[in-house]
């Protein structure tokens, strides 16, 4: 039973919490539910914002910073993948400033490891390569760091080539959050960071890995691949993610 | 169970006991002096006292930091107010001999020098005065009175209000208004809330927080408990570096003793209010001092920052509202409640109230911990308190705010040290590190050093900081090795701007500060390196190269 009006808080009586907000992305009026990010709404409206660490169906990290957008009257740039829009917010996704920053960040990522597309199994099918096209990167004006990294091909069906890893941690998240195996993790700090399997043991000796291949298919580059593919042959299949997400939501209902 | 009368009794008895001694010898047993054997000095003094059968006349007490760490071991004689420096075990008998007579001139350290006279103590008021392991001693200096007041005589809102009025700002780095933070956590809903004390102190060379914890641990506990009353929290964590074993021991002892007295723990001062405090040890990663990384680490996860909002005030430990403040911030709370927010706000300048503790280091004569009112000029700090530059060489720059602060040149000597002025000049208050550099320092090399620190301490989560700091470091390394070219300066500028504006957490966002500030104020030094391949201060390795080639 509802208490009498004078016993109710303002919230119960006359002010109602907002569940849907309207705001602007690049001068277009758009609507968001209270739990939707700027990125989600942009995608719904066909507005392009580049992403790398984000993958629908996995938790958000806000780490690659490629999705940075400007918010009018705010000095700080905001990562679209983890920012909840507010009523009347004005988001700008395509100013010269953010476009420039995104390009530079992507260039940095290209200098970090050894990406040689012409000999790569993912050539033509790689998220990283696609991003360079989307952002219009024609050359990299920072020095390449040329680190020495190894390949772990001890797993029966898959291999990891750290030379191609962009540390997006999609593999870590899918293995933990979707497969529930938590085989992958990250080791060391800063520029020395590296993804590892089981406490830095060879993947082939892993007792937690179920061999499901989810990590391979969410990996944006040719860091994680199926064995036996040659140049430009590695296609990633990610339909399982939205499917699993939908089925699990059903189950919760 | 504890009442205010009992509390006051404890304090009075302790005072009477101490005043019963004609002479009190205070030996600094904080880490600085302990490392130069003050523990042995204390033992020797105690032995000497008992050898002479003076136990009822003369007390020997271990106390916290006396400040002038570069002159340790320090010993002070009360109530005469004599300070001895560089005391050795063999001096024990002379010291006892001189009690009541004239001080030993060869050991005497004048308290009239500006290092002591120019200080104003709030945070450090008990340092060097009380025995850090004795809760009674703390209580004899009005300890836990403020907690009683907050709990029994004020409403939580009134407590928050005093902190708001005081104008206190966070001493952990960013200078966020403490009252506003408390208001936010107090407003956050739910019955489970946490109060966390950030004692990670990762800046190389900084030891303000360590000193407070080692010298006056109850002050921090009391501040946290008052915060818990104000925001409605009943659990607390102190996140402390494992590299500070003495501080860990002292704070653990303090918690145990305070719990036994009933001033921390269950049913504090006979109320229904409980505040349970635990110590968590950090493994020493600099980034774990960042609040979201720190909380992750307490939860047992990898200590890397996450995007904010949501801020910990709303979504903190295990998702519950969490108040996180720095050691020095908490150390200011009890005096604010005792003397009122307005009293605190009357000290300092502009929007920077109260005092700040600085760790003075580098090429100055007196190094150590100083507490001065906000707004004190660098000149006073360096030339009066610090006694000037070693060897009377020329001052060149001061780096404030730790590895991600800025380097300021001579023309800022008369600037007031407050949050706004520092930010305007391109530096930060940070946690209070002050490194003074003389003319022999090469500013490019200094920038390289600090960037190297940030690069190795970057957690590696976000791309701009992880890769950008490495690129900046490589470029600076090249320049200091004489391999730089003029276009490298543009590249540096651009990289710094990128890392500063796009990184996820404060580490990346501030890592370029040393480079940006040295490029702004010492551009000619950079140019000498890149255009002429020389280092004006002859500090960089390439000068050696050049000589070798000759
Ligand atoms: C990289 C990094 C390191 C930090 N280290 C510390 C630290 O060692 N101690 C500290 O109190 N705050 C540190 N901070 C600031 C904290 O994130 C946080 O702002 C502070 O604990 C809040 O307390 P305050 O409001 O009392 O200053 C650090 C921040 C960053 C970005
Ligand atoms: S194959 Fe499956 S279980 Fe094995 S590491 Fe990849 S995601 Fe985890
Ligand atoms: S292996 Fe692939 S998915 Fe995993 S972090 Fe590297 S790039 Fe990302
Ligand atoms: S800015 Fe640096 S320390 Fe902070 S999250 Fe990014 S990589 Fe980690
Ligand atoms: S997609 Fe938003 S930060 Fe990576």
């Amino acid at each position: 039973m509802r208490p009498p009006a004078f016993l109710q808080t303002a919230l119960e009586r006359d002010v109602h919490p907002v569940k849907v907000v309207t705001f602007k992305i690049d001068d277009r009026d758009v609507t968001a539910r209270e739990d939707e990010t700027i990125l989600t709404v942009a995608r719904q409206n066909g507005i392009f914002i580049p992403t790398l660490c984000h993958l629908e169906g996995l938790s958000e990290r806000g780490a690659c910073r490629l999705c940075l957008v400007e918010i009018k009257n705010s000095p700080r740039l905001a990562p679209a993948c983890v920012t909840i829009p507010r009523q009347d917010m004005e988001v700008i996704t395509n100013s010269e400033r953010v476009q420039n920053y995104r390009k530079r960040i992507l260039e940095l990522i290209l200098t970090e490891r050894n990406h040689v597309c012409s000999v790569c199994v993912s050539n033509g099918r790689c998220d990283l390569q696609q991003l360079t096209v989307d952002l219009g990167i024609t050359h990299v004006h920072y020095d390449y760091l040329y680190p020495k990294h190894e390949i772990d091909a001890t797993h029966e069906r898959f291999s990891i080539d750290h030379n191609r890893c962009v540390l997006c941690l999609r593999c870590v998240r899918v293995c933990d959050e979707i497969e529930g195996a938590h085989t992958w993790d990250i080791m060391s700090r800063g520029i020395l960071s590296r993804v590892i399997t089981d406490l830095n043991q060879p993947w082939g000796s892993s007792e937690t890995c179920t061999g499901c291949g989810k990590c391979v298919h969410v990996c944006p580059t040719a860091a994680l691949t199926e064995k036996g593919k040659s140049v430009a042959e590695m296609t990633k299949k990610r339909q399982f993610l939205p499917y699993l997400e939908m089925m699990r939501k059903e189950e919760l209902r | 169970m504890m009442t205010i009368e009992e509390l006051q009794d404890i304090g009075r008895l302790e005072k009477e006991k101490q005043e019963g001694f004609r002479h009190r010898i205070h030996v600094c047993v904080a880490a600085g002096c302990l490392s130069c054997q003050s523990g042995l000095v204390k033992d020797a003094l105690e032995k000497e006292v008992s050898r002479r059968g003076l136990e009822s006349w003369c007390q020997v007490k271990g106390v916290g930091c006396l400040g002038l760490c570069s002159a340790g071991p320090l010993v002070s004689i009360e109530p005469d107010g004599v300070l001895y420096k560089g005391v050795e075990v063999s001096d024990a008998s002379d010291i006892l001999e001189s009690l009541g007579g004239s001080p030993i001139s060869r050991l005497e350290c004048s308290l009239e020098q500006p290092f002591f006279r120019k200080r104003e103590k709030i945070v450090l008021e008990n340092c060097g005065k009380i025995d850090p392991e004795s809760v009674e001693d703390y209580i004899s200096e009005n300890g836990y009175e403020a907690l009683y007041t907050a709990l029994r005589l004020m409403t939580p809102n009134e407590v928050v209000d005093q902190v708001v009025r005081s104008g206190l700002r966070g001493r952990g780095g960013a200078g966020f208004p403490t009252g506003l933070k408390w208001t936010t956590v107090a407003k956050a809903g739910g019955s489970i809330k946490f109060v966390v004390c950030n004692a990670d102190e990762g800046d190389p060379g900084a030891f303000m927080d360590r000193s407070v914890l080692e010298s006056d641990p109850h002050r921090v506990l009391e501040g946290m408990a008052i915060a818990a009353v104000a925001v409605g929290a009943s659990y607390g964590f102190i996140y402390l570096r494992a590299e500070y074993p003495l501080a860990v021991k002292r704070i653990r002892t303090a918690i145990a003793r305070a719990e036994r007295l009933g001033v921390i723990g269950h049913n504090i001062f006979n109320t229904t209010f409980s505040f349970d405090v635990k110590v968590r040890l950090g493994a020493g990663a600099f980034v774990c001092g960042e609040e979201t990384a720190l909380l992750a680490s307490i939860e047992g996860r990898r200590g890397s920052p996450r995007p904010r909002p949501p801020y910990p005030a709303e979504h903190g430990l295990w998702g519950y509202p969490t108040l996180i403040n720095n050691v020095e911030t908490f150390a200011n709370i009890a005096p604010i409640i005792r003397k009122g927010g307005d009293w605190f706000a009357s000290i300092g300048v502009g929007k920077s109230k109260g005092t700040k503790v600085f760790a003075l280091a580098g090429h100055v004569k007196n190094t150590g911990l100083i507490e001065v009112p906000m707004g004190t000029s660098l000149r006073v700090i360096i030339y009066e308190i610090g006694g000037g530059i070693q060897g009377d060489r020329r001052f060149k720059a001061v780096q404030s705010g730790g590895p991600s602060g800025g380097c300021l040149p001579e023309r800022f000597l008369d600037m007031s040290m407050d949050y706004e002025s520092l930010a305007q000049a391109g530096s930060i208050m940070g946690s209070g590190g002050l490194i003074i550099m003389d003319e022999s320092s090469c500013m490019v090399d200094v920038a390289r050093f600090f960037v190297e620190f940030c690069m190795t301490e970057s957690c590696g989560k976000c791309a701009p900081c992880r890769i950008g700091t490495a690129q900046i470091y490589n470029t600076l390394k090249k320049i200091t090795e004489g391999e730089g070219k003029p276009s490298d300066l543009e590249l540096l500028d651009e990289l710094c701007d990128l890392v500063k504006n796009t990184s996820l957490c404060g580490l990346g966002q501030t890592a370029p500060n040393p480079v940006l500030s040295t490029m702004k104020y010492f551009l000619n030094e950079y140019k000498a390196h890149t255009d002429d391949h020389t280092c004006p201060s002859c500090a960089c390795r390439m000068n050696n190269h050049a000589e070798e080639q000759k």
Side-chain angles (χ1 to χ4, degrees):
Chain A
M1 200 181 64
R2 273 172 82 87
F6 71 92
L7 280 182
Q8 294 172 14
T9 63
L11 197 69
E12 291 162 325
R13 199 176 50 222
D14 4 78
V15 191
H16 303 285
V18 183
K19 301 262 192 229
V20 179
V21 299
T22 57
F23 68 109
K24 279 194 164 73
I25 305 183
D26 299 337
D27 269 333
R28 271 171 61 183
D29 289 308
V30 291
T31 307
R33 237 182 19 230
E34 58 179 351
D35 59 350
E36 287 175 327
T37 61
I38 294 177
L39 180 67
T40 315
V41 179
R43 298 246 155 120
Q44 286 162 359
N45 289 277
I47 299 167
F48 171 74
I49 298 176
T51 57
L52 183 57
C53 64
H54 164 87
L55 189 66
E56 199 70 50
L58 299 181
S59 64
E60 302 289 1
R61 275 174 31 95
C64 71
R65 317 301 282 174
L66 287 176
C67 67
L68 287 176
V69 293
E70 263 186 78
I71 292 177
K72 208 165 171 186
N73 297 327
S74 158
R76 285 243 171 126
L77 303 173
C81 65
V82 290
T83 306
I84 303 287
R86 276 175 286 110
Q87 180 69 31
D88 299 329
M89 193 184 234
E90 288 183 45
V91 177
I92 304 148
T93 71
N94 54 10
S95 68
E96 203 176 310
R97 178 161 179 242
V98 291
Q99 290 192 347
N100 248 321
Y101 280 145
R102 287 180 195 147
K103 275 190 192 170
R104 305 252 164 80
I105 295 168
L106 195 61
E107 282 181 44
L108 282 179
I109 293 173
L110 291 170
T111 66
E112 186 182 21
R113 300 278 167 106
N114 305 301
H115 297 279
V116 195
C117 298
S118 56
V119 298
C120 181
V121 292
S122 289
N123 195 7
R125 303 159 191 274
C126 169
D127 289 3
L128 184 64
Q129 199 179 33
Q130 184 59 44
L131 276 167
T132 62
V133 176
D134 291 342
L135 301 192
I137 291 182
T138 47
H139 76 291
V140 172
H141 68 296
Y142 303 123
D143 288 341
Y144 286 89
L145 299 177
Y146 295 123
K148 288 200 172 54
H149 279 288
E150 27 176 277
I151 300 176
D152 176 358
T154 56
H155 194 280
E156 197 184 333
R157 290 189 293 129
F158 314 124
S159 71
I160 172 147
D161 180 354
H162 294 280
N163 290 295
R164 307 276 199 262
C165 175
V166 294
L167 296 170
C168 66
L169 302 204
R170 287 184 187 182
C171 53
V172 177
R173 285 173 287 159
V174 82
C175 186
D176 177 43
E177 297 164 12
I178 307 290
E179 180 61 9
H182 200 128
T183 302
W184 289 104
D185 214 327
I186 178 150
M187 189 178 93
S188 300
R189 280 205 296 261
I191 197 77
L192 303 175
S193 306
R194 214 160 64 82
V195 287
I196 51 170
T197 39
D198 280 356
L199 297 166
N200 199 19
Q201 297 303 305
W203 193 1
S205 70
S206 170
E207 295 192 349
T208 54
C209 174
T210 63
C212 69
K214 291 190 173 69
C215 53
V216 173
H217 289 282
V218 297
C219 177
T221 69
L224 284 167
T225 52
E226 284 167 351
K227 282 185 169 172
K229 301 277 183 206
S230 66
V231 175
E233 275 188 4
M234 182 65 217
T235 344
K236 307 264 166 134
K237 303 183 192 69
R238 299 189 184 133
Q239 299 84 329
F240 72 91
L241 262 179
Y243 173 74
L244 280 178
E245 204 192 0
M246 189 185 74
M247 293 303 283
R248 286 184 182 179
K249 274 190 188 150
E250 289 280 271
E251 219 169 278
L252 286 178
R253 265 194 206 117
Chain B
M1 294 300 143
M2 166 74 78
T3 62
I4 187 70
E5 291 76 23
E6 284 170 315
L7 188 76
Q8 286 164 345
D9 277 348
I10 293 174
R12 207 183 47 242
L13 284 176
E14 180 67 26
K15 266 245 143 59
E16 280 169 9
K17 187 176 110 198
Q18 300 202 4
E19 276 158 13
F21 292 108
R22 176 161 313 163
H23 304 289
R24 300 193 296 278
I25 305 180
H26 292 181
V27 186
C28 173
V29 289
C33 284
L34 269 187
S35 70
C36 37
Q37 313 301 341
S38 71
L40 296 180
V41 172
K42 180 167 171 260
D43 291 347
L45 283 163
E46 274 166 357
K47 243 188 236 139
E48 195 60 29
V49 167
S50 65
R51 197 177 65 81
R52 294 172 184 236
L54 293 175
E55 285 96 336
S56 52
W57 287 82
C58 177
Q59 180 198 32
V60 178
K61 178 160 99 173
V63 296
C65 188
L66 286 158
L68 193 58
C69 303
S70 55
L74 296 171
V75 171
S76 80
I77 313 291
E78 304 297 335
D80 314 4
V82 174
L83 183 69
Y84 291 138
K85 63 182 179 192
V87 178
E88 289 178 20
V89 170
S90 55
D91 296 322
S93 118
D94 286 356
I95 289 179
L96 280 172
E97 202 60 50
S98 74
L99 289 179
S102 53
I104 311 168
S105 49
R106 88 190 133 84
L107 294 176
E108 199 177 357
C109 179
S110 166
L111 286 164
E112 281 308 303
Q113 56 178 306
F115 186 86
F116 296 105
R117 262 197 310 112
K118 289 276 173 179
R119 297 188 304 183
E120 173 146 355
K121 289 182 162 197
I122 298 175
V123 171
L124 303 179
E125 64 183 344
N126 287 341
C127 288
K129 203 152 136 192
I130 66 165
D131 175 355
E133 308 214 338
S134 158
V135 63
E136 290 80 10
D137 216 357
Y138 179 66
I139 292 172
S140 78
E141 297 293 338
N142 306 322
Y144 290 109
E145 215 179 275
L147 175 59
Y148 180 85
T149 311
L151 196 52
R152 300 293 299 260
L153 309 176
M154 293 165 85
T155 64
N157 278 341
E158 286 167 352
V159 177
V160 173
D161 195 46
Q162 287 304 318
V163 177
V164 172
R165 289 177 84 109
S166 74
L168 175 65
R169 292 167 67 174
R171 302 294 195 240
F176 189 82
T178 307
L180 185 59
K181 201 185 263 187
W182 287 30
T183 314
T184 315
V185 183
K187 279 209 171 175
S191 56
I192 300 181
K193 292 181 191 173
F194 292 93
V195 170
V196 174
C197 174
N198 188 341
D200 193 50
E201 196 164 56
D203 302 14
F207 57 103
M208 300 63 72
D209 296 349
R210 185 188 75 190
S211 213
V212 173
L213 288 167
E214 285 174 358
S215 310
D216 198 4
H218 287 285
R219 162 178 300 266
V220 180
L221 281 183
E222 187 178 2
M224 288 178 71
I226 294 170
V229 173
V231 303
S234 34
Y235 305 97
F237 285 101
I238 300 177
Y239 188 87
L240 191 55
R241 295 170 79 70
E243 288 95 326
Y244 287 175
L246 186 62
V248 174
K249 180 174 153 253
R250 296 247 160 98
I251 196 79
R252 286 206 165 125
T253 310
I255 293 174
R257 305 230 159 126
E259 278 177 352
R260 209 161 55 210
L261 279 185
V263 289
I264 292 287
H266 290 287
N267 302 96
I268 299 176
F269 286 115
N270 293 331
T271 61
T272 53
F273 180 75
S274 296
F275 183 55
D276 202 31
V277 190
K278 294 208 159 43
V279 177
R280 281 282 180 280
L281 299 189
F286 176 60
V287 73
C288 283
E290 196 280 336
E291 54 189 27
T292 58
L294 186 149
L295 297 180
S297 178
I298 292 182
E299 291 174 19
R301 292 184 288 118
R302 179 179 159 96
S304 46
R306 62 156 176 80
R308 301 173 309 176
Y311 289 88
E314 207 183 319
H315 188 93
L317 271 182
W318 295 287
Y320 296 107
T322 300
L323 174 74
I324 173 163
N325 276 131
N326 165 262
V327 171
E328 195 182 326
T329 313
F330 281 126
N332 276 300
I333 298 299
I336 289 176
I337 298 302
R338 230 169 33 227
K339 304 184 190 169
D342 292 336
W343 159 78
F344 191 85
S346 70
I347 305 163
V349 287
K351 288 186 192 160
S352 306
K353 304 297 189 190
T355 59
K356 180 76 195 85
V357 183
F358 291 104
L360 195 56
H363 300 137
V364 274
K365 287 182 186 150
N366 306 327
T367 58
L369 271 201
I370 58 164
E371 180 173 2
V372 290
M374 289 275 184
T376 305
S377 76
L378 276 167
R379 193 182 296 281
V380 168
I381 294 177
I382 297 169
Y383 286 94
E384 297 190 26
I385 301 176
I389 308 294
Q390 285 170 11
D392 292 314
R393 283 189 297 268
R394 240 180 105 88
F395 167 87
K396 186 170 199 177
V398 53
Q399 156 93 6
S400 77
S404 50
C407 293
L408 303 179
E410 201 170 355
R411 73 175 142 104
F412 288 98
L413 274 179
D414 290 307
M415 183 185 77
S416 131
M417 290 289 276
D418 60 70
Y419 292 102
E420 276 70 30
S421 308
L422 276 165
Q424 212 172 12
S427 189
I428 51 173
M429 179 80 72
S431 55
L434 275 185
I435 301 171
I436 315 301
M437 288 170 272
D438 70 12
E439 57 203 345
S440 68
S441 318
C442 165
M443 301 317 288
V444 187
D445 200 46
V446 164
R448 182 197 58 80
F449 173 81
F450 287 118
V451 168
E452 182 173 16
F453 179 85
C454 290
M455 171 182 78
T456 45
E457 292 297 328
S458 158
C459 80
K461 179 169 182 172
C462 72
C465 166
R466 180 180 76 234
I467 315 166
T469 52
Q471 291 281 7
I472 297 174
Y473 171 76
N474 284 355
T475 312
L476 287 170
K477 183 158 174 278
K478 219 170 69 181
I479 296 177
T480 54
E481 284 169 356
E483 313 280 313
K485 46 186 189 303
S487 65
D488 285 340
L489 299 186
E490 263 164 67
L491 187 80
L492 270 181
D493 226 13
E494 187 197 287
L495 275 166
C496 287
D497 176 67
L498 177 71
V499 174
K500 188 180 165 122
N501 285 298
T502 62
S503 289
L504 190 160
C505 86
L507 192 153
Q509 288 159 8
T510 56
N513 281 344
V515 189
L516 287 169
S517 60
T518 49
M519 279 180 74
K520 183 163 167 200
Y521 298 122
F522 301 94
L523 190 62
N524 52 348
E525 287 194 31
Y526 278 85
K527 289 220 164 110
H529 285 75
T530 54
D531 299 4
D532 312 329
H533 303 281
T534 55
C535 174
S537 324
C538 303
C540 289
R541 263 187 288 163
M542 61 194 183
N543 288 60
N544 306 343
H545 284 316
E547 269 160 34
E548 276 161 27
Q549 277 162 10
K550 264 178 211 163

